[in-house]
Amino acid sequence: MDLKRLAAERAVEYVKDGMKVGLGTGSTAYWAIQRLGERVKNEGLQIETVATSQASEDQARELGIPLVPFSEIGRLDITIDGADEVDGRLNLIKGGGGALLREKIVAMNSRRLVIVVDESKVIHTLGKFPLPVEIVPFACEWTYHALDQMGCHPAWRMNGSEKYMTDNGNYIADCKLGRISDAEALNQKLNMIPGVVDNGLFVDMADTIVVAHADGTIEIKRK
Ligand code: 5RP
């Protein structure tokens, strides 16, 4: 049983006719997009969407899901996205797939953020998963140094021998923090560093978490 698929397909039940929908990124969000495509095709579901990455946009286009320019869509009704970690307060680490900035922008402009995960992603305290920090290329070594000085233990994300580049033309430093005791404070502190575009902490943004358990049951956590 594919738990990612199970959670994602359940979340797609929240999508109703006429909704404006944000499409997430990653291997769990992939299944949500696939299911939305089925509903558009088989049920004639009427939706308008925007995507959080080039990959999700390409997938949606291939499935015939209507994509609308950001300038025309206005506020979204719902976004369905994955996460790398979810804590008891529904705070998240995202960005394992490198789309954290677009995901945060889209989430901020959605009435409802639904996160789909398998049970392995639900943890007590955020930080075991390395926190992605998106950095502009200009003087990126200085920004990296600032993270190092803060005790973030950064490591450049690589794509072969080159630094990994996001859809926005930026780099990512993955920070091995171990345990994040105050996600809100860290989020603000990181984003105060010039050169940091944003980081993968999503504090107080998720409304609903759909968790698929290994026994095939689904748990819904609400804010
Ligand atoms: C991409 C993300 C993903 O949602 C996150 O990395 C989870 O990925 P997956 O569903 O493949 O486990 O934040 O930037």
Side-chain angles (χ1 to χ4, degrees):
M1 187 183 336
D2 186 333
L3 298 186
K4 292 183 174 190
R5 181 174 183 173
L6 197 64
E9 292 188 344
R10 173 64 201 276
V12 170
E13 292 175 19
Y14 293 125
V15 178
K16 308 288 180 218
D17 247 347
M19 280 189 169
K20 297 174 180 184
V21 183
L23 307 174
T25 294
S27 58
T28 318
Y30 168 89
W31 287 113
I33 299 170
Q34 286 297 118
R35 181 78 190 108
L36 275 175
E38 279 171 23
R39 290 192 58 195
V40 166
K41 190 168 169 231
N42 302 336
E43 297 169 26
L45 179 74
Q46 301 278 336
I47 51 171
E48 293 180 319
T49 70
V50 288
T52 54
S53 62
Q54 195 56 53
S56 296
E57 185 177 323
D58 293 346
Q59 185 190 354
R61 187 166 292 115
E62 206 153 289
L63 291 166
I65 298 173
L67 288 151
V68 174
F70 284 91
S71 57
E72 290 170 20
I73 199 162
R75 195 160 169 75
L76 303 175
D77 295 292
I78 188 169
T79 290
I80 302 176
D81 202 349
D84 300 298
E85 282 185 349
V86 180
D87 74 7
R89 296 176 154 184
L90 312 195
N91 292 330
L92 318 170
I93 286 183
K94 286 184 50 53
L100 60 134
L101 177 59
R102 293 187 182 193
E103 290 172 336
K104 206 181 265 192
I105 294 170
V106 169
M108 271 300 288
N109 288 286
S110 298
R111 286 193 185 88
R112 185 174 185 194
L113 175 61
V114 177
I115 295 295
V116 286
V117 288
D118 64 59
E119 63 178 12
S120 69
K121 308 268 187 81
V122 181
I123 41 85
H124 186 263
T125 307
L126 298 177
K128 195 163 175 221
F129 190 92
L131 176 67
V133 178
E134 185 157 344
I135 292 172
V136 293
F138 176 80
C140 62
E141 285 76 15
W142 284 353
T143 310
Y144 185 95
H145 181 67
L147 290 174
D148 203 22
Q149 290 293 101
M150 259 178 72
C152 290
H153 307 288
W156 288 120
R157 189 177 295 186
M158 301 300 287
N159 185 8
S161 58
E162 303 285 314
K163 287 191 188 74
Y164 172 89
M165 189 169 271
T166 69
D167 283 350
N168 316 302
N170 296 317
Y171 301 141
I172 288 183
D174 290 304
C175 294
K176 293 188 192 70
L177 293 151
R179 187 174 185 281
I180 298 172
S181 51
D182 187 342
E184 172 66 44
L186 181 63
N187 180 34
Q188 287 185 18
K189 207 170 161 194
L190 288 170
N191 287 1
M192 286 293 289
I193 301 171
V196 168
V197 185
D198 213 328
N199 72 86
L201 285 169
F202 283 49
V203 180
D204 201 21
M205 293 183 80
D207 301 285
T208 306
I209 314 285
V210 180
V211 187
H213 289 283
D215 63 4
T217 58
I218 299 268
E219 181 188 357
I220 310 288
K221 293 173 180 279
R222 288 198 177 81
K223 195 148 88 175

